[in-house]
Amino acid sequence: MRNLLKECLAEESGFVELRYHHKESRSFHAERGRVESTALRKRTGIGVRVLEAGTWGFASTSEISKSSIQNAIQVAKKAARLSSALRKDKIPNLPKANFAIGDFIGKGIEDFRNRTVEEKLKLVLDIQNEAAKQSTKLQSVGCGYSEIYEEKAIVTTDGADSFFTMVRPEFRVSAVAKEDGKMESGSHSIGVTGGWDCLFRSQSALQISEEACKTAVDLLSSVLPDGGLSTVILSPSIVGLLVHEAIGHTVEADFVLSGSVAQGKIGQRVGSDLVTLCDSGFSEYYEGAGGSIPVDDEGLLPTNTVIIKNGILTSYLHNRETAERFGVAPTGSARAWEYGDVPLIRMRNTFLVPGDSHLEEMIANTKDGYYLDGAKNGQADATGEFMFAVQKAYRIQNGKITDLLKGVTVSGLAFDVLQNVDMVSKEFKWDLGSGHCGKGQPAKVDAGGPYVRTKVLLGGK
């Protein structure tokens, strides 16, 4: 495929980027002892992007042939010329970049290919049936498995020349329990980049289902918390949600240019000395993070970008265009969901760097507070203001875990929360690899970190 793309570029003089993308996605969902839904989707094509007359032109084709690709190049150039007059800030050129050269074959591909559809169907059916037996209080249990396999080749006129593959499986269980007219839900999911050995490395499928079901049943006897500004210990899942939604989006350079809260704050303190925040194309600390990419969708090798170092904002996330505008190196953060999508600045694996404490020590040193675990839904805006729902919360009194609480929300300003961080654990976990991040188009990401003690506004009764 790389040779075909290079052949199509042989006579081009300006900047042209060709991105071949083949994607297969498959999913299964079981409930009430039967398979409720299955889906299979395949998409293959070429995305074409050109830089002409100071602006971008984009086109795509699902026909993999030299004539069709060359025609798409001309369509993209025409689009650039027509839109150039409407662009106030022209793109003079693109910065030098650390291009990926060669083939990058992802881990877990052989494992993915060797597992049959029957085996995957049996997994969700067996786990669903077994989970439903765990308690008479369970009203329903759903079990789902999904996977995405991708092949990409990216060639540009200024040096990118790579081919890479990856596979991303996910497994999830959701449960609803009922007692005396009260209903509660619990869920647990995991998503990775790699094979099944990576997917079920820390927990088996059965253990994942047991956790979801236990959460739903236990919450039936829980109570609502008192609201107000509170000392909290955030689990890696909540840390991941915070750094992704409330901080990560605000440092994407296109959002920065639009006026996010991070604009103009490079070199300023935005967190305590204990806070170092990164976004990496690699799976740091251990393999399998769900947002890992061997090459970004501009053909660059990804970096581990230090966004905040010891509390000081040091970098934004960049594609080649914004890197040129800010006078810095690109961070390998350009990503496109399918061949017909334009690459956007997106997070990959976003995380807080571990510290020197242990979770047990953090709990023992908290006289009055809460331990929060299990990210649910939430929202954040360009100001860094956020509100998240938490699946499970536990009261901490005199250094000990006591009551289980339900209906807990947390809110605040992200940088204020980082300023109040006073303990960070040595333990680390990726915990946001399932599902998708949305920004005009989906993206597979991951987030996580250590356990963190800080202050947030707790919503309760």
Side-chain angles (χ1 to χ4, degrees):
M1 182 54 64
R2 289 163 57 197
N3 289 335
L4 172 61
L5 299 184
K6 285 186 283 188
E7 186 179 343
C8 293
L9 295 181
E11 298 179 4
E12 296 295 332
S13 56
F15 176 81
V16 182
E17 171 188 278
L18 301 180
R19 174 172 41 89
Y20 163 81
H21 192 176
H22 169 75
K23 174 181 280 189
E24 301 176 19
S25 58
R26 189 188 299 270
S27 64
F28 310 95
H29 182 78
E31 199 167 342
R32 299 182 181 88
R34 63 178 183 268
V35 176
E36 291 285 345
S37 64
T38 65
L40 172 64
R41 187 172 186 265
K42 296 183 180 182
R43 293 268 289 171
T44 305
I46 307 283
V48 177
R49 196 169 62 148
V50 304
L51 181 59
E52 186 150 323
T55 194
W56 295 110
F58 183 81
S60 63
T61 176
S62 59
E63 182 181 331
I64 313 299
S65 68
K66 183 177 179 179
S67 61
S68 180
I69 296 170
Q70 289 179 327
N71 180 66
I73 293 173
Q74 297 309 311
V75 171
K77 287 183 175 181
K78 183 178 180 179
R81 290 192 295 268
L82 290 173
S83 64
S84 177
L86 303 175
R87 183 177 185 123
K88 180 180 178 181
D89 299 318
K90 297 292 194 291
I91 306 169
N93 48 55
L94 298 175
K96 293 181 179 180
N98 188 16
F99 292 120
I101 308 294
D103 294 338
F104 302 80
I105 307 303
K107 294 184 178 181
I109 303 297
E110 185 176 352
D111 177 48
F112 160 76
R113 290 297 190 192
N114 289 338
R115 295 191 183 275
T116 65
V117 170
E118 291 76 15
E119 185 177 4
K120 297 164 187 175
L121 281 169
K122 186 176 186 301
L123 171 71
V124 295
L125 276 172
D126 287 353
I127 295 300
Q128 194 277 323
N129 287 329
E130 189 64 29
K133 302 174 185 176
Q134 292 184 34
S135 172
T136 57
K137 298 176 183 178
L138 291 170
Q139 293 295 292
S140 66
V141 179
C143 178
Y145 169 81
S146 61
E147 61 192 21
I148 298 174
Y149 170 75
E150 297 180 87
E151 297 177 354
K152 291 186 181 183
I154 302 174
V155 174
T156 67
T157 49
D158 64 346
D161 183 8
S162 64
F163 172 83
F164 55 99
T165 63
M166 66 185 85
V167 61
R168 291 189 170 105
E170 294 184 16
F171 183 76
R172 64 188 63 82
V173 177
S174 58
V176 175
K178 183 177 181 181
E179 183 180 44
D180 298 331
K182 295 186 297 183
M183 296 183 68
E184 296 292 343
S185 63
S187 64
H188 188 34
S189 61
I190 187 168
V192 301
T193 304
W196 276 25
D197 57 336
C198 187
L199 183 65
F200 298 120
R201 173 179 48 208
S202 59
Q203 284 184 304
S204 68
L206 184 58
Q207 288 172 326
I208 291 171
S209 73
E210 288 172 346
E211 182 171 332
C213 294
K214 185 178 186 303
T215 296
V217 172
D218 288 351
L219 285 172
L220 289 170
S221 57
S222 62
V223 296
L224 293 170
D226 296 322
L229 186 64
S230 306
T231 297
V232 296
I233 297 174
L234 307 178
S235 74
S237 65
I238 307 297
V239 170
L241 186 63
L242 174 70
V243 299
H244 175 90
E245 293 289 354
I247 301 169
H249 282 301
T250 71
V251 297
E252 292 169 335
D254 50 352
F255 278 2
V256 173
L257 291 170
S258 297
S260 81
V261 68
Q263 188 179 64
K265 283 188 166 60
I266 293 293
Q268 295 184 20
R269 177 164 295 281
V270 294
S272 78
D273 289 338
L274 299 177
V275 173
T276 294
L277 172 66
C278 302
D279 182 84
S280 179
F282 310 104
S283 184
E284 308 290 342
Y285 301 102
Y286 59 89
E287 293 182 349
S292 304
I293 54 172
V295 183
D296 90 336
D297 285 322
E298 290 184 320
L300 279 62
L301 291 169
T303 64
N304 179 10
T305 306
V306 180
I307 299 168
I308 300 171
K309 185 173 183 179
N310 299 330
I312 306 299
L313 186 66
T314 57
S315 178
Y316 302 131
L317 298 178
H318 291 283
N319 59 12
R320 296 185 72 188
E321 177 187 346
T322 62
E324 174 69 18
R325 186 159 178 174
F326 281 82
V328 298
T331 57
S333 303
R335 303 183 64 187
W337 180 242
E338 292 186 345
Y339 74 87
D341 293 317
V342 176
L344 303 175
I345 300 173
R346 307 300 296 269
M347 283 170 276
R348 301 150 304 177
N349 301 311
T350 313
F351 63 99
L352 282 184
V353 172
D356 296 323
S357 302
H358 289 285
L359 175 59
E360 294 80 5
E361 173 193 0
M362 294 166 68
I363 294 171
N365 279 277
T366 302
K367 183 177 181 180
D368 181 28
Y370 300 86
Y371 169 61
L372 309 181
D373 187 26
K376 292 180 73 174
N377 50 23
Q379 60 185 18
D381 59 27
T383 68
E385 187 173 5
F386 68 90
M387 177 178 283
F388 302 142
V390 176
Q391 184 164 232
K392 294 181 293 184
Y394 296 89
R395 194 79 169 88
I396 302 176
Q397 295 174 304
N398 297 316
K400 297 184 182 299
I401 295 286
T402 58
D403 299 328
L404 174 64
L405 307 171
K406 64 180 177 181
V408 177
T409 62
V410 293
S411 60
L413 292 170
F415 288 152
D416 288 349
V417 173
L418 295 189
Q419 293 274 17
N420 285 317
V421 169
D422 63 359
M423 295 188 82
V424 178
S425 79
K426 293 181 178 180
E427 300 94 334
F428 179 94
K429 185 179 181 181
W430 294 112
D431 211 7
L432 214 68
S434 61
H436 302 85
C437 169
K439 182 183 172 182
Q441 52 183 270
K444 293 298 299 177
V445 299
D446 210 335
Y451 297 89
V452 171
R453 191 174 74 172
T454 184
K455 293 183 183 295
V456 298
L457 187 63
L458 207 70
K461 59 185 178 183

